[in-house]
PDB file of all heavy atoms in Angstrom:
ATOM      1  N   GLY A 180     -12.275 -24.899  -0.584  1.00  0.00           N
ATOM      2  CA  GLY A 180     -11.429 -24.058  -1.448  1.00  0.00           C
ATOM      3  C   GLY A 180     -11.787 -24.220  -2.919  1.00  0.00           C
ATOM      4  O   GLY A 180     -11.214 -23.547  -3.783  1.00  0.00           O
ATOM      5  N   ASN A 181     -12.734 -25.111  -3.211  1.00  0.00           N
ATOM      6  CA  ASN A 181     -13.208 -25.297  -4.589  1.00  0.00           C
ATOM      7  C   ASN A 181     -14.087 -24.121  -4.992  1.00  0.00           C
ATOM      8  O   ASN A 181     -14.771 -23.557  -4.133  1.00  0.00           O
ATOM      9  CB  ASN A 181     -13.985 -26.623  -4.713  1.00  0.00           C
ATOM     10  CG  ASN A 181     -14.979 -26.857  -3.600  1.00  0.00           C
ATOM     11  OD1 ASN A 181     -14.679 -26.616  -2.422  1.00  0.00           O
ATOM     12  ND2 ASN A 181     -16.170 -27.310  -3.916  1.00  0.00           N
ATOM     13  N   VAL A 182     -14.048 -23.746  -6.267  1.00  0.00           N
ATOM     14  CA  VAL A 182     -14.884 -22.632  -6.736  1.00  0.00           C
ATOM     15  C   VAL A 182     -15.629 -23.026  -8.009  1.00  0.00           C
ATOM     16  O   VAL A 182     -15.167 -23.863  -8.781  1.00  0.00           O
ATOM     17  CB  VAL A 182     -14.071 -21.340  -7.015  1.00  0.00           C
ATOM     18  CG1 VAL A 182     -13.260 -20.907  -5.809  1.00  0.00           C
ATOM     19  CG2 VAL A 182     -13.159 -21.489  -8.226  1.00  0.00           C
ATOM     20  N   HIS A 183     -16.770 -22.395  -8.212  1.00  0.00           N
ATOM     21  CA  HIS A 183     -17.512 -22.556  -9.464  1.00  0.00           C
ATOM     22  C   HIS A 183     -16.856 -21.691 -10.526  1.00  0.00           C
ATOM     23  O   HIS A 183     -16.494 -20.555 -10.261  1.00  0.00           O
ATOM     24  CB  HIS A 183     -18.951 -22.064  -9.298  1.00  0.00           C
ATOM     25  CG  HIS A 183     -19.843 -23.020  -8.574  1.00  0.00           C
ATOM     26  ND1 HIS A 183     -20.687 -22.619  -7.570  1.00  0.00           N
ATOM     27  CD2 HIS A 183     -20.032 -24.347  -8.714  1.00  0.00           C
ATOM     28  CE1 HIS A 183     -21.367 -23.676  -7.134  1.00  0.00           C
ATOM     29  NE2 HIS A 183     -20.983 -24.729  -7.809  1.00  0.00           N
ATOM     30  N   GLY A 184     -16.729 -22.213 -11.730  1.00  0.00           N
ATOM     31  CA  GLY A 184     -16.171 -21.401 -12.818  1.00  0.00           C
ATOM     32  C   GLY A 184     -14.655 -21.476 -12.809  1.00  0.00           C
ATOM     33  O   GLY A 184     -14.070 -22.445 -12.318  1.00  0.00           O
ATOM     34  N   LYS A 185     -14.046 -20.414 -13.318  1.00  0.00           N
ATOM     35  CA  LYS A 185     -12.601 -20.406 -13.521  1.00  0.00           C
ATOM     36  C   LYS A 185     -11.859 -20.218 -12.196  1.00  0.00           C
ATOM     37  O   LYS A 185     -12.253 -19.383 -11.383  1.00  0.00           O
ATOM     38  CB  LYS A 185     -12.281 -19.214 -14.428  1.00  0.00           C
ATOM     39  CG  LYS A 185     -11.264 -19.494 -15.491  1.00  0.00           C
ATOM     40  CD  LYS A 185     -11.235 -18.294 -16.453  1.00  0.00           C
ATOM     41  CE  LYS A 185      -9.913 -18.120 -17.144  1.00  0.00           C
ATOM     42  NZ  LYS A 185      -9.125 -19.253 -17.454  1.00  0.00           N
ATOM     43  N   TYR A 186     -10.798 -20.983 -11.986  1.00  0.00           N
ATOM     44  CA  TYR A 186      -9.894 -20.717 -10.854  1.00  0.00           C
ATOM     45  C   TYR A 186      -8.964 -19.594 -11.308  1.00  0.00           C
ATOM     46  O   TYR A 186      -8.273 -19.740 -12.311  1.00  0.00           O
ATOM     47  CB  TYR A 186      -9.086 -21.975 -10.498  1.00  0.00           C
ATOM     48  CG  TYR A 186      -9.915 -23.022  -9.776  1.00  0.00           C
ATOM     49  CD1 TYR A 186     -10.716 -23.911 -10.483  1.00  0.00           C
ATOM     50  CD2 TYR A 186      -9.920 -23.093  -8.387  1.00  0.00           C
ATOM     51  CE1 TYR A 186     -11.499 -24.854  -9.833  1.00  0.00           C
ATOM     52  CE2 TYR A 186     -10.706 -24.039  -7.723  1.00  0.00           C
ATOM     53  CZ  TYR A 186     -11.490 -24.912  -8.458  1.00  0.00           C
ATOM     54  OH  TYR A 186     -12.269 -25.831  -7.807  1.00  0.00           O
ATOM     55  N   HIS A 187      -8.985 -18.484 -10.573  1.00  0.00           N
ATOM     56  CA  HIS A 187      -8.195 -17.337 -11.041  1.00  0.00           C
ATOM     57  C   HIS A 187      -6.727 -17.443 -10.657  1.00  0.00           C
ATOM     58  O   HIS A 187      -5.883 -16.723 -11.167  1.00  0.00           O
ATOM     59  CB  HIS A 187      -8.824 -16.036 -10.550  1.00  0.00           C
ATOM     60  CG  HIS A 187     -10.172 -15.822 -11.200  1.00  0.00           C
ATOM     61  ND1 HIS A 187     -10.308 -15.571 -12.548  1.00  0.00           N
ATOM     62  CD2 HIS A 187     -11.431 -15.897 -10.700  1.00  0.00           C
ATOM     63  CE1 HIS A 187     -11.601 -15.479 -12.857  1.00  0.00           C
ATOM     64  NE2 HIS A 187     -12.298 -15.677 -11.745  1.00  0.00           N
ATOM     65  N   SER A 188      -6.428 -18.339  -9.720  1.00  0.00           N
ATOM     66  CA  SER A 188      -5.025 -18.653  -9.446  1.00  0.00           C
ATOM     67  C   SER A 188      -4.959 -20.167  -9.271  1.00  0.00           C
ATOM     68  O   SER A 188      -5.985 -20.846  -9.393  1.00  0.00           O
ATOM     69  CB  SER A 188      -4.549 -17.931  -8.183  1.00  0.00           C
ATOM     70  OG  SER A 188      -5.448 -18.204  -7.136  1.00  0.00           O
ATOM     71  N   GLU A 189      -3.802 -20.685  -8.974  1.00  0.00           N
ATOM     72  CA  GLU A 189      -3.634 -22.132  -8.761  1.00  0.00           C
ATOM     73  C   GLU A 189      -4.685 -22.631  -7.765  1.00  0.00           C
ATOM     74  O   GLU A 189      -4.808 -22.045  -6.673  1.00  0.00           O
ATOM     75  CB  GLU A 189      -2.256 -22.284  -8.110  1.00  0.00           C
ATOM     76  CG  GLU A 189      -1.237 -23.276  -8.647  1.00  0.00           C
ATOM     77  CD  GLU A 189      -1.475 -23.903  -9.974  1.00  0.00           C
ATOM     78  OE1 GLU A 189      -1.568 -23.201 -11.003  1.00  0.00           O
ATOM     79  OE2 GLU A 189      -1.557 -25.131  -9.962  1.00  0.00           O
ATOM     80  N   PRO A 190      -5.482 -23.664  -8.084  1.00  0.00           N
ATOM     81  CA  PRO A 190      -6.463 -24.143  -7.101  1.00  0.00           C
ATOM     82  C   PRO A 190      -5.756 -24.627  -5.835  1.00  0.00           C
ATOM     83  O   PRO A 190      -4.708 -25.259  -5.904  1.00  0.00           O
ATOM     84  CB  PRO A 190      -7.132 -25.327  -7.807  1.00  0.00           C
ATOM     85  CG  PRO A 190      -6.725 -25.271  -9.226  1.00  0.00           C
ATOM     86  CD  PRO A 190      -5.512 -24.424  -9.331  1.00  0.00           C
ATOM     87  N   ARG A 191      -6.326 -24.273  -4.679  1.00  0.00           N
ATOM     88  CA  ARG A 191      -5.768 -24.753  -3.407  1.00  0.00           C
ATOM     89  C   ARG A 191      -6.901 -25.378  -2.602  1.00  0.00           C
ATOM     90  O   ARG A 191      -7.805 -24.681  -2.152  1.00  0.00           O
ATOM     91  CB  ARG A 191      -5.166 -23.584  -2.621  1.00  0.00           C
ATOM     92  CG  ARG A 191      -3.784 -23.187  -3.120  1.00  0.00           C
ATOM     93  CD  ARG A 191      -2.970 -22.587  -2.012  1.00  0.00           C
ATOM     94  NE  ARG A 191      -3.795 -21.727  -1.158  1.00  0.00           N
ATOM     95  CZ  ARG A 191      -3.616 -20.429  -1.017  1.00  0.00           C
ATOM     96  NH1 ARG A 191      -2.627 -19.841  -1.644  1.00  0.00           N
ATOM     97  NH2 ARG A 191      -4.385 -19.721  -0.241  1.00  0.00           N
ATOM     98  N   LEU A 192      -6.864 -26.691  -2.473  1.00  0.00           N
ATOM     99  CA  LEU A 192      -7.920 -27.368  -1.714  1.00  0.00           C
ATOM    100  C   LEU A 192      -7.396 -27.732  -0.334  1.00  0.00           C
ATOM    101  O   LEU A 192      -6.237 -28.136  -0.182  1.00  0.00           O
ATOM    102  CB  LEU A 192      -8.387 -28.632  -2.458  1.00  0.00           C
ATOM    103  CG  LEU A 192      -9.000 -28.423  -3.845  1.00  0.00           C
ATOM    104  CD1 LEU A 192      -9.571 -29.725  -4.391  1.00  0.00           C
ATOM    105  CD2 LEU A 192     -10.094 -27.346  -3.841  1.00  0.00           C
TER     106      LEU A 192
END
Side-chain angles (χ1 to χ4, degrees):
N181 46 317
V182 305
H183 282 134
K185 222 170 153 32
Y186 286 83
H187 293 293
S188 52
E189 230 12 60
R191 281 208 321 243
L192 298 187

